[in-house]
Amino acid sequence: MSNDQSNLQSRRGVIQSLVAGSLLMPGIVSQLLADDASRKSDVDPLSPKAPHFAPRAKSVIFLNMSGGASHVDSFDYKPALVQDHNKAFQVPEKMLAAFAPNNRVVEKFFKQPQWEFKQRGQSGLWISELFPHVAACADDLCLVRSMRSDHPDHFQATLGIHTGSVTFARPSIGAWVSHGLGTINQNLPSFVVLAPHLPYAGGQVWASDFLPGCHQGTLVTPGAEPIANIKRRQAAVELQEMEIGLAQGFNRRHLADRAGDNNLAARIKSFETAFGMQAEAPEAFDLSKETEATHQMYGLPRGSAKGFAWQCLIARRLVERGVRFIELIDTGASNNWDSHGDMGAHGPLAKNVDQPIAGLLKDLKMRGMLDETLVVWTTEFGRTPFNTGKDARGREHHAEVFTSWLAGGGVKGGFSYGESDEHGCTVGANEVHVHDFHATILHLLGLDHERLTYRHAGRDYRLTDVAGRVVREIIA
């Protein structure tokens, strides 16, 4: 007997053992044989949706530097901070909240940047030696040097940069994008998170909260098995398809009696996506066919499945395959950019991400993908331009002003928007609150942040709450 005949008999055996003799058999068979048109009439929260208007970008790669990278040591050049090193500064009360209760003396001292700044590219953007590879891509970067968050603590600020709220759990930006646009590739999640460790706020960073569960980010952990249980347990693909079809027949019958239950529809859809991932995800995470030149561009040793270089190359492959929103977290809730004791700790952290990020930008550009892919680099807040003692080695949390940048996806390259004051302590001009940042990202995807809403607990919610403006000045 051939393998095909054996599989056919196995499939028939499954159907016979599960439904033969049942009073429900006619209905089950009807469900299994329903055509594609009737299936598409079901609620599918991940089906592709039209944007509100013509988008500049089709997908987002969101690079999250966990812990609070220092703006004044990286992308916000402040000559006055060099000139006034160790000079006394009377710290405003609201900035003292970032310091420990026993360290809130008003008089503190300016600290100069630890890395030299230079003008880069034809645009002449000032970028420090902390990121030499990214600096070489200066003409593709749109620096936002007037970012502001609402909270100086990691947990709350991390929630803020992801969900727009520093007080309550809300859907993450990736979940909102999935809700607004659906997915291009039904065999992969619309929202993927690549992270070696849990960040501050844990899974709330990629949670869907009150949005349907299928919009939650799928966590991928670098290593030999990035996604658990992705390998098929059933060798015969056709047999597994029949098993899934039968289960989904029951599911859809159950859903038909509960019309309008989006959570149930999302759960059913998640089973279908999981099945599709078994077919497509292994290939998406297989780097064996990537060239040696590509590996070298990212700084990724061939055969390695760890590190930020692996995350960046996988992100490019996921964008190619239609994933809407991909977040890369470089570290986690420890051993990160939270350099209280010594700013020297920024050095190896930057080295871990610098070449991979530059490689990602170059790779996307060479493939003609950067124009339709919005790359976002951010952290939850910056670090203080001052500290308690003279010649202090570290810096504290600083939510009053920090720097983020964007590239591709319809933004101006080689451009800087907004500024901090002369020492990098507060916003000097053109403030960009986190709500404004989110509104702009959504706008570049063709989504109106005021129209992208979801009804929950008697009111309409949105990512930007009741605020936010699109920063049109940075759009090309």
Side-chain angles (χ1 to χ4, degrees):
M1 182 182 298
S2 69
N3 288 337
D4 288 344
Q5 290 174 323
S6 176
N7 289 340
L8 181 59
Q9 289 192 355
S10 297
R11 292 196 297 273
R12 287 173 177 168
V14 169
I15 297 297
Q16 289 172 353
S17 64
L18 289 174
V19 305
S22 169
L23 293 175
L24 296 176
M25 186 172 183
I28 294 171
V29 172
S30 176
Q31 288 285 348
L32 293 176
L33 298 179
D35 61 19
D36 288 341
S38 65
R39 286 176 61 86
K40 289 178 181 177
S41 68
D42 290 334
V43 176
D44 184 353
L46 281 180
S47 62
K49 301 177 182 66
H52 296 141
F53 45 83
R56 303 300 298 271
K58 292 182 178 179
S59 55
V60 175
I61 298 177
F62 193 89
L63 309 172
N64 176 29
M65 306 295 106
S66 182
S70 172
H71 56 300
V72 294
D73 287 283
S74 56
F75 298 105
D76 193 7
Y77 178 44
K78 294 298 168 189
L81 205 55
V82 178
Q83 299 166 7
D84 293 339
H85 178 65
N86 280 338
K87 286 187 178 180
F89 173 60
Q90 304 300 305
V91 182
E93 184 177 352
K94 63 179 181 179
M95 294 186 196
L96 287 176
F99 289 78
N102 61 352
N103 190 23
R104 291 178 180 171
V105 293
V106 171
E107 184 174 271
K108 299 193 181 297
F109 302 89
F110 288 123
K111 173 180 170 56
Q112 66 184 2
Q114 200 152 320
W115 287 268
E116 182 183 359
F117 277 78
K118 295 179 181 178
Q119 287 185 287
R120 314 288 181 161
Q122 293 184 352
S123 58
L125 291 182
W126 287 93
I127 301 174
S128 84
E129 287 295 324
L130 186 61
F131 293 104
H133 290 279
V134 171
C137 301
D139 292 334
D140 294 314
L141 305 185
C142 179
L143 303 181
V144 182
R145 290 171 166 156
S146 53
M147 291 284 295
R148 184 177 69 81
S149 177
D150 286 329
H151 209 289
D153 287 345
H154 292 295
F155 185 100
Q156 293 90 336
T158 299
L159 275 184
I161 200 68
H162 286 91
T163 73
S165 172
V166 298
T167 52
F168 300 103
R170 293 286 186 265
S172 64
I173 183 172
W176 278 110
V177 170
S178 175
H179 166 61
L181 295 175
T183 184
I184 302 169
N185 187 340
Q186 297 293 316
N187 288 330
L188 289 172
S190 56
F191 176 21
V192 174
V193 179
L194 304 169
H197 307 287
L198 283 177
Y200 299 110
Q204 292 182 61
V205 163
W206 55 83
S208 58
D209 198 54
F210 50 70
L211 294 177
C214 63
H215 298 305
Q216 175 176 302
T218 296
L219 177 62
V220 173
T221 303
E225 189 180 13
I227 303 176
N229 304 314
I230 200 63
K231 295 181 179 179
R232 296 183 185 275
R233 296 183 180 182
Q234 173 56 262
V237 176
E238 296 86 354
L239 181 56
Q240 187 177 15
E241 288 175 346
M242 292 293 287
E243 292 173 346
I244 292 292
L246 180 61
Q248 293 298 71
F250 280 114
N251 288 338
R252 292 179 187 283
R253 177 181 289 275
H254 184 65
L255 179 62
D257 295 331
R258 294 159 179 81
D261 189 337
N262 289 333
N263 288 327
L264 179 57
R267 192 171 188 180
I268 292 172
K269 180 61 184 176
S270 70
F271 296 153
E272 295 175 349
T273 302
F275 174 69
M277 285 176 64
Q278 289 186 320
E280 192 152 343
E283 187 276 333
F285 288 89
D286 180 7
L287 303 183
S288 62
K289 295 182 181 178
E290 295 286 348
T291 67
E292 188 61 34
T294 297
H295 278 79
Q296 290 178 3
M297 182 165 54
Y298 284 83
L300 177 65
R302 184 169 287 280
S304 175
K306 292 185 177 181
F308 204 71
W310 180 87
Q311 292 171 250
C312 284
L313 182 49
I314 290 296
R316 189 218 80 205
R317 292 175 63 85
L318 292 176
V319 166
E320 284 180 313
R321 287 157 178 78
V323 177
R324 288 285 190 192
F325 197 101
I326 305 150
E327 174 163 1
L328 279 60
I329 301 174
D330 66 328
T331 54
S334 59
N335 300 317
N336 54 35
W337 297 83
D338 193 25
S339 301
H340 289 279
D342 188 352
M343 286 304 299
H346 267 39
L349 290 163
K351 187 175 181 179
N352 177 51
V353 303
D354 181 37
Q355 184 177 348
I357 293 174
L360 174 63
L361 294 175
K362 293 174 183 177
D363 200 8
L364 290 171
K365 195 170 184 178
M366 286 191 300
R367 294 170 187 269
M369 298 170 59
L370 186 58
D371 287 343
E372 294 185 340
T373 305
L374 180 64
V375 180
V376 179
W377 183 96
T378 192
T379 182
E380 65 262 39
F381 45 54
R383 306 208 74 80
T384 54
F386 47 81
N387 213 328
T388 303
K390 292 183 177 181
D391 292 317
R393 296 174 65 87
R395 300 187 190 275
E396 307 301 318
H397 305 171
H398 198 62
E400 295 303 315
V401 67
F402 63 103
T403 299
S404 301
W405 58 255
L406 306 94
V411 300
K412 296 177 181 177
F415 185 71
S416 176
Y417 179 78
E419 59 185 65
S420 59
D421 65 17
E422 63 174 347
H423 294 102
C425 296
T426 60
V427 173
N430 299 320
E431 176 181 296
V432 178
H433 186 272
V434 169
H435 291 320
D436 306 325
F437 196 57
H438 288 162
T440 306
I441 292 172
L442 293 180
H443 179 86
L444 290 164
L445 289 165
L447 295 171
D448 183 339
H449 73 105
E450 294 184 346
R451 293 168 59 191
L452 183 64
T453 62
Y454 191 86
R455 192 77 174 175
H456 171 69
R459 61 162 281 197
D460 290 332
Y461 284 86
R462 69 188 206 211
L463 173 62
T464 53
D465 195 35
V466 294
R469 74 171 185 93
V470 175
V471 186
R472 299 183 183 276
E473 295 87 345
I474 71 172
I475 298 174

